[in-house]
Amino acid sequence: MSYVIIGNSVAAIGAIEAIRKVDKEINITVISDEPYLVYSRPLISEFLAGQVKEEMMGYREPGFYEKNGVTTKLGKRVVAIDSAKKSVKLDNGEEVAYGKLLIATGGTPFIPPMKGLGKERIYTFIKMDDAKQIDALVPEMDHVVIIGAGLIGLKAAESLHHRGVEVTVVELANRVMAAVLDVDAGGIVQSALEKAGINIVTENTVDEILGGKAANGVRLKDGREIRCDAVIVAIGVVPNAVFAKESGVEVNRGIVTDNHMRTNLPDVYAAGDVTEGPDYLNGGNRVIPIWPNAYIQGKIAGLNMAGVEREFTGGLAMNSIELFGVPVITAGLSNIDSDDLEVLTKIENGNYRKIVLRGSTIVGAVFVGKIDRAGIITGLIRDQIDISSMRDRLLADDFGYIDFPVELRKERLGAVAK
Amino acid sequence: MKRVYAKEEVCIGCRLCEVWCRTEHSRSKNIIKAHKSEFPPPVSRVLVEELMPVSFALQCRHCDEPECVESCITGALTKDESGRVVYNEEKCVGCWTCVLVCPYGAPQRDLERKKIAKCDLCPDRDTPACVEMCPNQALVYEER
Ligand SMILES: Cc1cc2nc3c(=O)[nH]c(=O)nc-3n(C[C@H](O)[C@H](O)[C@H](O)COP(=O)(O)OP(=O)(O)OC[C@H]3O[C@@H](n4cnc5c(N)ncnc54)[C@H](O)[C@@H]3O)c2cc1C
Ligand code: SF4
Ligand code: SF4
């Protein structure tokens, strides 16, 4: 009865570490189509910027696999799951039997239909090999167009700018990071980007990628043409679940799981960016493609696979990113207009602080600039603490445990922390 | 494992714990040099919160299942066998994800180094510097 994990990224590591807490015996096999030991995916932008070397990108020590009794099959893709036979099939025809299976295949870039796709020099930016390909071309590039001003597009923009490449970011919405930032916060971030020299075109989109064999420009919706040496499509990621769906796994947007990270198939679990797991704030299920969520889902899946019952309390959308020296933190319902939500904000010298309340609990927050100790607010969201007595202090830069009701503070600080 | 706990009833908010924490985590370990001449200056891993008449010192709680360790995008934060949440500064890239997730507001941003600073329970000492040097015994280092 061996454990098999498809994917070798953070959700897989969360599962391995959890399984090994309870089961030190039974073999774990990890299969991934990427040829690398686990690396920190977010660091591909620091790699492209030339700030972090490949050797420093390992998320765990190289000895991690051996120490944890993990067999790896790297550079191999799973093409199907046979849930009756309890085995998975690889692209080289090999079959691997499982007792318990975890699908942790992450996301794949979403590329909307547009004219001119299929040329050379059109990239996405989610894998080590994407970063290496773009890196190799940097000496030949003067100008790159990036489609999408979300986290990944802006990180790629910053990295290339750092290498001396001119960058134009094209975004459909009227501001950067529109999914998580409101107009005020988006405006602060956007002006920092523009001040640094990034060209940002909003409320526009690429109609056609121009060029012959290789991309050499784009034509925008408004007819304008921009010459460039490469295009990076960074519109978003979608769960990498096609083979799972074809094998009978229930997939909506992502693989649907219950709060034990089980799929509809017996002994088959899913975790990370590939899942549409329970959503903490809104109930129901939702894809929340972020690193912490992937680790925690992996951990919960691993514990349950190893026979220790543990419930996932639900994912919380959140992110921390720093662009050109401006740190930005978002958590929960950071940018949703709704009658049942009350919003407190403060803008001061380029610093922004926003707290979103539903009744007497916090359900969302944004910090730009002064982000220190933001996690205290994240904790209040996670635990749905009644903040009535601290309401007036929530926007203070030095908000802290001093503002907590004394019993709650003593309970939190006086005992072993969970 | 032993952890540091504050007794807010006896804390007077003098912030000497911060001073001795900076000194312990300086290169020279000399109180004057640490505060006057070292660059980048050492950052205190303990933070005194104060809203008179109440004050207390707060540092990393070395959580049982730490949010920071589960969320750190580089693997810079790990929990060791003794239970301490340890930090490998070399791996930190200053993404501030731990600042986003730590419910105690424990990781401090070291802006000069663009890395975080976090309580390490003073591995070179038997008792952490803040506990030993507090003139009012407002910090204790014990098993609970
Ligand atoms: C540039 C960039 C920056 C980011 N920055 C942040 C950040 O700052 N904070 C944050 O929270 N999140 C960030 N993210 C998102 C974060 O990286 C993801 O949420 C996280 O990697 C998800 O982990 P995962 O284990 O679910 O899957 P992934 O990391 O996506 O890994 C899945 C693995 O499975 C492999 N695989 C897929 N299908 C198969 C198959 N059929 N057979 C075998 N192997 C397969 C894939 O090749 C891949 O190696 C960033 C992402 C990118 C690209
Ligand atoms: S940094 Fe915060 S989350 Fe991490 S162990 Fe310390 S108190 Fe817990
Ligand atoms: S700031 Fe450093 S320690 Fe904190 S999550 Fe990022 S890499 Fe990890």
Side-chain angles (χ1 to χ4, degrees), chain A residues 309-345:
Chain A
E309 199 183 313
R310 183 80 179 266
E311 274 188 22
F312 179 54
T313 47
L316 180 64
M318 56 182 174
N319 231 306
S320 174
I321 178 176
E322 182 164 317
L323 291 161
F324 294 103
V326 178
V328 181
I329 276 182
T330 60
L333 311 178
S334 58
N335 185 29
I336 289 180
D337 267 330
S338 164
D339 287 344
D340 65 333
L341 302 180
E342 183 189 352
V343 176
L344 315 174
T345 58

Side-chain angles (χ1 to χ4, degrees), chain B residues 83-99:
Chain B
R84 292 179 181 211
V85 173
V86 293
Y87 164 58
N88 176 354
E89 184 176 289
E90 227 178 88
K91 290 196 94 174
C92 175
V93 294
C95 71
W96 318 132
T97 301
C98 51
V99 174

Side-chain angles (χ1 to χ4, degrees), chain A residues 321-392:
Chain A
I321 178 176
E322 182 164 317
L323 291 161
F324 294 103
V326 178
V328 181
I329 276 182
T330 60
L333 311 178
S334 58
N335 185 29
I336 289 180
D337 267 330
S338 164
D339 287 344
D340 65 333
L341 302 180
E342 183 189 352
V343 176
L344 315 174
T345 58
K346 179 174 85 172
I347 292 198
E348 231 169 50
N349 311 323
N351 294 302
Y352 183 67
R353 189 174 172 108
K354 169 175 173 174
I355 304 284
V356 184
L357 301 169
R358 184 155 60 197
S360 56
T361 57
I362 308 178
V363 291
V366 177
F367 303 80
V368 180
K370 290 185 181 157
I371 59 162
D372 298 296
R373 310 192 82 202
I376 300 178
I377 299 287
T378 311
L380 293 172
I381 298 177
R382 227 185 262 121
D383 297 336
Q384 288 294 286
I385 301 291
D386 185 326
I387 52 76
S388 309
S389 69
M390 347 177 200
R391 226 188 114 90
D392 296 343

